[in-house]
Amino acid sequence: QDGTLELIFAAYATTASASTSLIMQLLKHPRVLEKLREELRSKGILHNGCICEGSLRLDNISSLHYLDCVIKEVLRLFTPISGGYRTVLQTFELDGFQIPKGWSVMYSIRDTHDTAPVFKDVDVFDPDRFEQGRSEDKDGRFHYLPFGGGVRTCLGKHLAKLFLKALAIELASTSRFELATRTFPKITLVPVVHPVDGLKVKFFGLDSNQNEILAGTDAMLGATV
């Protein structure tokens, strides 16, 4: 039972959370979405409104530096889980407090991201903070840790980031999407970061001329993520 629960939580819930946060931020920040499209065009991935055949290779995706910054910023602000547990292997002292060997301790990912001095304007969605000129995640080992840290870093982190990048490329290349409600939903943090009652979005397919592909029914236009 524990193994099944862990598989569902680690392989589905966290990825679904990050995917939803990605879509929400692209909705809130159209300039980020357009800058992402510009990068896809510059790398020969997006041409005349279509993903170029054979362009979605691992090396091409890895070369998309701005896309990497967008994913990093989503995971900084909206880390799916709050933290992780560790067992103390030997007694140590932290800020004047002694932590005994054998204790279970929890580290907070969200609090770390919120209080780390390397991040400027921590509440602002700013993918450019991860550009080479700023590289706010490079100053120190444990200021940025959406996948945990140390020897027990998440085994699926590279696959998860690749999935999020592929989703962002698909959204930026083949569709127009808009919020289907008047306001953005409230966010809850338990058991993972997710919008209360879901994020309702309308998706419109685009043809090679960037014209909307009309759906047969209204139901085909609506989706909840």
Side-chain angles (χ1 to χ4, degrees):
Q1 290 178 341
D2 288 343
T4 302
L5 181 61
E6 180 67 18
L7 182 63
I8 294 172
F9 183 77
Y12 169 73
T14 52
T15 307
S17 168
S19 300
T20 304
S21 296
L22 170 64
I23 294 171
M24 183 180 292
Q25 293 313 300
L26 292 179
L27 283 167
K28 286 186 173 183
H29 303 279
R31 290 184 180 179
V32 171
L33 180 58
E34 185 51 40
K35 188 173 179 178
L36 177 57
R37 286 178 173 140
E38 290 175 1
E39 182 178 52
L40 295 177
R41 296 186 191 104
S42 69
K43 295 293 184 178
I45 294 176
L46 180 62
H47 181 67
N48 289 336
C50 293
I51 297 179
C52 299
E53 186 176 353
S55 63
L56 289 186
R57 302 188 310 273
L58 184 58
D59 59 335
N60 276 5
I61 295 177
S62 298
S63 71
L64 298 170
H65 298 301
Y66 185 70
L67 173 58
D68 189 58
C69 293
V70 172
I71 300 304
K72 283 183 176 180
E73 182 69 341
V74 168
L75 294 175
R76 182 191 70 85
L77 266 176
F78 304 98
T79 306
I81 60 173
S82 60
Y85 292 93
R86 296 291 186 268
T87 298
V88 179
L89 299 181
Q90 62 182 31
T91 301
F92 69 96
E93 189 172 293
L94 179 65
D95 291 339
F97 295 92
Q98 190 178 76
I99 314 298
K101 177 182 178 179
W103 272 28
S104 292
V105 296
M106 178 181 179
Y107 65 91
S108 174
I109 295 175
R110 294 197 189 104
D111 287 340
T112 299
H113 289 175
D114 287 344
T115 60
V118 298
F119 296 124
K120 311 304 179 186
D121 300 320
V122 294
D123 295 328
V124 177
F125 183 77
D126 180 16
D128 290 330
R129 73 174 71 247
F130 294 109
E131 290 281 6
Q132 288 186 344
R134 293 169 62 179
S135 300
E136 294 184 9
D137 61 324
K138 303 301 183 186
D139 298 328
R141 292 179 60 197
F142 297 115
H143 294 310
Y144 180 73
L145 59 165
F147 295 99
V151 296
R152 293 185 60 84
T153 299
C154 175
L155 292 174
K157 65 178 183 179
H158 296 299
L159 177 61
K161 288 192 291 186
L162 180 61
F163 175 87
L164 292 172
K165 289 178 181 181
L167 174 61
I169 292 171
E170 184 72 18
L171 290 172
S173 303
T174 63
S175 67
R176 183 179 71 78
F177 47 103
E178 62 185 39
L179 192 66
T181 53
R182 290 178 178 269
T183 59
F184 284 95
K186 294 182 179 179
I187 301 295
T188 184
L189 305 179
V190 180
V192 294
V193 173
H194 68 279
V196 176
D197 297 326
L199 174 66
K200 295 177 174 60
V201 182
K202 285 187 176 181
F203 293 89
F204 303 87
L206 300 177
D207 61 20
S208 60
N209 296 314
Q210 294 288 283
N211 295 317
E212 292 178 6
I213 301 172
L214 298 179
T217 65
D218 290 340
M220 294 175 64
L221 293 176
T224 300
V225 295

